[in-house]
Amino acid sequence: MNGTEPVPADEFRHLVLIGMMGAGKSSVGRRLALRLGRHFVDTDRLVEQRAGKTVGEIFAVDGEAAFRAVEAQAVRDALDSDVWAVIAFGGGAVLDPANRDLAREAALVVWLQAPVRELARRVSASLRRSTGARPLLTSGRPPEAVLDRMARDREESYRIAAHLVVDTAGRSPSQVATAVLAAIGWEVPAR
Ligand code: S3P
Protein backbone atom coordinates (compact mmCIF):
# COMPACT_ATOMS: atom_id res chain seq x y z
CA MET A 1 0.00 0.00 0.00
CA ASN A 2 2.70 2.48 0.85
CA GLY A 3 4.56 1.48 -2.28
CA THR A 4 7.87 0.80 -0.57
CA GLU A 5 7.62 -2.93 0.06
CA PRO A 6 6.05 -5.79 -1.87
CA VAL A 7 2.96 -7.50 -0.47
CA PRO A 8 4.18 -10.62 1.39
CA ALA A 9 3.04 -13.59 -0.66
CA ASP A 10 3.56 -16.50 1.72
CA GLU A 11 1.09 -17.66 4.33
CA PHE A 12 3.64 -18.30 7.10
CA ARG A 13 2.55 -15.21 8.91
CA HIS A 14 -0.39 -13.79 10.80
CA LEU A 15 -3.34 -12.24 9.05
CA VAL A 16 -4.24 -8.89 10.64
CA LEU A 17 -7.49 -7.06 9.97
CA ILE A 18 -7.59 -3.31 10.44
CA GLY A 19 -10.19 -0.63 9.83
CA MET A 20 -12.79 1.51 11.50
CA MET A 21 -15.28 0.43 14.15
CA GLY A 22 -18.06 -1.34 12.28
CA ALA A 23 -15.82 -2.44 9.42
CA GLY A 24 -16.48 -6.07 10.43
CA LYS A 25 -13.01 -6.98 11.67
CA SER A 26 -14.27 -9.39 14.34
CA SER A 27 -17.13 -11.01 12.44
CA VAL A 28 -15.04 -11.39 9.29
CA GLY A 29 -11.99 -12.45 11.31
CA ARG A 30 -13.88 -15.27 13.01
CA ARG A 31 -15.01 -16.60 9.64
CA LEU A 32 -11.54 -16.31 8.15
CA ALA A 33 -10.04 -18.15 11.11
CA LEU A 34 -12.52 -21.00 10.64
CA ARG A 35 -11.81 -21.25 6.95
CA LEU A 36 -8.04 -21.08 7.39
CA GLY A 37 -8.04 -23.45 10.36
CA ARG A 38 -6.43 -20.81 12.58
CA HIS A 39 -7.09 -19.25 15.95
CA PHE A 40 -8.95 -15.97 16.04
CA VAL A 41 -7.52 -13.25 18.27
CA ASP A 42 -9.17 -9.90 19.01
CA THR A 43 -6.85 -7.31 20.56
CA ASP A 44 -9.78 -5.74 22.46
CA ARG A 45 -10.36 -9.06 24.23
CA LEU A 46 -6.63 -9.36 25.03
CA VAL A 47 -6.75 -5.85 26.49
CA GLU A 48 -9.72 -6.79 28.66
CA GLN A 49 -7.98 -9.95 29.87
CA ARG A 50 -4.78 -8.06 30.69
CA ALA A 51 -6.58 -5.20 32.45
CA GLY A 52 -9.30 -7.30 34.10
CA LYS A 53 -11.83 -4.67 32.94
CA THR A 54 -13.93 -4.00 29.88
CA VAL A 55 -12.75 -1.55 27.22
CA GLY A 56 -15.47 0.84 28.41
CA GLU A 57 -14.30 0.62 32.01
CA ILE A 58 -10.68 1.27 31.04
CA PHE A 59 -11.66 4.40 29.09
CA ALA A 60 -13.93 5.60 31.91
CA VAL A 61 -11.60 4.87 34.83
CA ASP A 62 -8.07 5.11 33.42
CA GLY A 63 -8.53 7.14 30.23
CA GLU A 64 -7.72 6.58 26.57
CA ALA A 65 -3.93 6.86 26.98
CA ALA A 66 -3.98 3.97 29.45
CA PHE A 67 -6.12 1.97 27.02
CA ARG A 68 -3.64 2.62 24.19
CA ALA A 69 -0.71 1.46 26.35
CA VAL A 70 -2.42 -1.86 27.14
CA GLU A 71 -3.50 -2.14 23.51
CA ALA A 72 0.13 -1.79 22.36
CA GLN A 73 1.06 -4.65 24.67
CA ALA A 74 -1.85 -6.72 23.37
CA VAL A 75 -0.67 -6.10 19.80
CA ARG A 76 2.82 -7.30 20.72
CA ASP A 77 1.45 -10.38 22.50
CA ALA A 78 -0.77 -11.31 19.55
CA LEU A 79 1.98 -10.84 16.96
CA ASP A 80 4.61 -12.59 19.12
CA SER A 81 2.85 -15.93 18.88
CA ASP A 82 4.42 -18.31 16.38
CA VAL A 83 1.09 -20.07 15.92
CA TRP A 84 -0.24 -18.18 12.91
CA ALA A 85 -3.56 -16.55 13.74
CA VAL A 86 -6.17 -14.23 12.32
CA ILE A 87 -5.97 -11.08 14.44
CA ALA A 88 -8.57 -8.31 14.56
CA PHE A 89 -6.99 -5.06 15.72
CA GLY A 90 -9.06 -2.49 17.58
CA GLY A 91 -9.93 0.35 15.23
CA GLY A 92 -7.34 2.74 16.65
CA ALA A 93 -4.44 0.31 17.07
CA VAL A 94 -2.59 1.32 13.91
CA LEU A 95 -2.52 5.00 14.88
CA ASP A 96 0.60 4.05 16.85
CA PRO A 97 3.47 3.75 14.34
CA ALA A 98 5.14 1.05 16.45
CA ASN A 99 2.01 -1.13 16.20
CA ARG A 100 1.87 -0.51 12.46
CA ASP A 101 5.50 -1.45 11.92
CA LEU A 102 5.22 -4.62 14.00
CA ALA A 103 2.07 -5.66 12.14
CA ARG A 104 3.60 -5.12 8.72
CA GLU A 105 6.64 -7.19 9.72
CA ALA A 106 4.82 -10.14 11.27
CA ALA A 107 1.59 -10.25 9.29
CA LEU A 108 -0.26 -9.65 6.11
CA VAL A 109 -2.32 -6.57 6.95
CA VAL A 110 -5.74 -6.19 5.33
CA TRP A 111 -7.75 -2.98 5.64
CA LEU A 112 -11.50 -3.57 5.65
CA GLN A 113 -13.12 -0.46 4.22
CA ALA A 114 -16.74 0.66 4.33
CA PRO A 115 -18.61 3.90 3.71
CA VAL A 116 -19.29 5.85 6.90
CA ARG A 117 -23.05 5.46 6.57
CA GLU A 118 -22.64 1.69 6.58
CA LEU A 119 -20.22 1.79 9.52
CA ALA A 120 -22.78 3.82 11.47
CA ARG A 121 -25.55 1.37 10.65
CA ARG A 122 -23.44 -1.59 11.75
CA VAL A 123 -22.31 -0.05 15.05
CA SER A 124 -25.75 1.22 16.00
CA ALA A 125 -27.01 -2.25 16.91
CA SER A 126 -24.05 -2.84 19.23
CA LEU A 127 -24.46 0.61 20.78
CA ARG A 128 -28.08 -0.20 21.59
CA ARG A 129 -27.03 -3.46 23.22
CA SER A 130 -24.29 -1.94 25.36
CA THR A 131 -22.14 1.16 25.58
CA GLY A 132 -19.14 -0.79 26.89
CA ALA A 133 -17.09 -1.70 23.86
CA ARG A 134 -17.08 1.57 21.93
CA PRO A 135 -16.65 4.45 24.37
CA LEU A 136 -15.49 6.78 21.58
CA LEU A 137 -19.04 6.71 20.19
CA THR A 138 -20.86 7.56 23.39
CA SER A 139 -20.13 11.31 23.58
CA GLY A 140 -23.75 12.10 22.70
CA ARG A 141 -22.83 13.28 19.18
CA PRO A 142 -24.41 11.25 16.36
CA PRO A 143 -22.20 8.19 15.67
CA GLU A 144 -22.19 8.96 11.94
CA ALA A 145 -20.62 12.39 12.54
CA VAL A 146 -18.01 10.98 14.92
CA LEU A 147 -17.16 8.15 12.54
CA ASP A 148 -16.91 10.52 9.59
CA ARG A 149 -14.37 12.76 11.34
CA MET A 150 -12.46 9.75 12.65
CA ALA A 151 -12.33 8.05 9.25
CA ARG A 152 -10.81 11.19 7.70
CA ASP A 153 -8.28 11.57 10.52
CA ARG A 154 -7.25 7.93 10.36
CA GLU A 155 -7.22 7.28 6.65
CA GLU A 156 -3.50 7.90 6.28
CA SER A 157 -2.61 5.55 9.15
CA TYR A 158 -4.72 2.76 7.67
CA ARG A 159 -3.20 3.36 4.25
CA ILE A 160 0.36 3.18 5.59
CA ALA A 161 -0.37 0.06 7.65
CA ALA A 162 -2.19 -1.97 5.00
CA HIS A 163 -0.70 -4.37 2.48
CA LEU A 164 -4.15 -4.84 0.90
CA VAL A 165 -7.55 -3.19 0.94
CA VAL A 166 -10.86 -5.04 0.75
CA ASP A 167 -14.14 -3.22 0.16
CA THR A 168 -16.89 -4.47 2.47
CA ALA A 169 -19.72 -2.22 1.24
CA GLY A 170 -22.96 -4.13 0.78
CA ARG A 171 -21.30 -7.43 1.64
CA SER A 172 -22.08 -9.85 4.46
CA PRO A 173 -19.23 -11.01 6.75
CA SER A 174 -19.08 -14.32 4.83
CA GLN A 175 -18.86 -12.52 1.52
CA VAL A 176 -16.12 -10.27 2.87
CA ALA A 177 -14.21 -13.31 4.15
CA THR A 178 -14.42 -14.83 0.67
CA ALA A 179 -13.17 -11.56 -0.84
CA VAL A 180 -10.26 -11.43 1.61
CA LEU A 181 -9.26 -15.00 0.78
CA ALA A 182 -9.38 -14.19 -2.93
CA ALA A 183 -7.28 -11.05 -2.38
CA ILE A 184 -4.58 -12.73 -0.30
CA GLY A 185 -4.43 -15.88 -2.42
CA TRP A 186 -3.62 -18.18 0.51
CA GLU A 187 -4.49 -21.82 0.28
CA VAL A 188 -7.63 -22.74 2.23
CA PRO A 189 -7.20 -26.12 3.94
CA ALA A 190 -9.76 -28.75 2.90
CA ARG A 191 -12.33 -29.42 5.61
C1 S3P B 1 -11.53 1.89 19.05
C2 S3P B 1 -12.14 0.78 18.53
C3 S3P B 1 -12.66 -0.32 19.36
C4 S3P B 1 -11.90 -0.36 20.69
C5 S3P B 1 -11.92 0.96 21.36
C6 S3P B 1 -11.28 2.06 20.51
C7 S3P B 1 -11.05 2.95 18.14
O1 S3P B 1 -12.47 -1.55 18.68
O2 S3P B 1 -10.58 -0.77 20.49
O3 S3P B 1 -13.26 1.29 21.66
O4 S3P B 1 -10.25 3.80 18.55
O5 S3P B 1 -11.46 2.93 16.94
P1 S3P B 1 -13.36 -2.00 17.38
O6 S3P B 1 -12.72 -1.35 16.18
O7 S3P B 1 -13.20 -3.48 17.36
O8 S3P B 1 -14.75 -1.56 17.62
Side-chain angles (χ1 to χ4, degrees):
M1 273 301 289
N2 62 14
T4 57
E5 301 157 60
V7 173
D10 68 73
E11 48 202 80
F12 303 108
R13 57 184 64 244
H14 298 294
L15 178 61
V16 163
L17 301 178
I18 63 169
M20 291 282 294
M21 290 180 268
K25 301 178 295 290
S26 301
S27 45
V28 171
R30 269 188 228 101
R31 285 164 178 80
L32 281 169
L34 266 178
R35 295 206 210 165
L36 289 166
R38 293 180 171 211
H39 291 296
F40 172 67
V41 178
D42 185 324
T43 60
D44 284 339
R45 299 294 82 77
L46 292 185
V47 166
E48 291 182 336
Q49 283 162 16
R50 271 192 162 264
K53 303 178 209 178
T54 66
V55 169
E57 286 165 352
I58 303 169
F59 269 77
V61 176
D62 309 306
E64 179 169 354
F67 171 80
R68 296 297 172 199
V70 188
E71 181 177 57
Q73 189 57 56
V75 161
R76 282 195 292 276
D77 288 349
L79 292 171
D80 258 356
S81 165
D82 48 14
V83 179
W84 307 130
V86 176
I87 306 167
F89 273 21
V94 295
L95 300 181
D96 178 341
N99 292 346
R100 277 201 304 259
D101 292 348
L102 283 176
R104 282 187 66 90
E105 264 168 42
L108 184 69
V109 183
V110 178
W111 176 12
L112 301 184
Q113 271 186 339
V116 166
R117 186 170 302 171
E118 199 159 326
L119 296 174
R121 191 173 48 72
R122 293 182 196 159
V123 298
S124 62
S126 74
L127 287 176
R128 277 195 300 275
R129 276 199 305 275
S130 96
T131 53
R134 287 170 169 150
L136 294 175
L137 296 180
T138 55
S139 63
R141 290 181 62 213
E144 188 161 344
V146 178
L147 288 166
D148 186 48
R149 175 80 259 164
M150 204 180 263
R152 287 168 205 272
D153 290 346
R154 292 180 172 185
E155 182 165 7
E156 186 61 13
S157 296
Y158 291 138
R159 191 179 305 286
I160 296 169
H163 291 112
L164 290 168
V165 185
V166 170
D167 183 11
T168 72
R171 288 171 160 168
S172 69
S174 289
Q175 289 170 328
V176 176
T178 301
V180 171
L181 290 173
I184 64 181
W186 289 358
E187 197 153 316
V188 178
R191 274 183 288 171

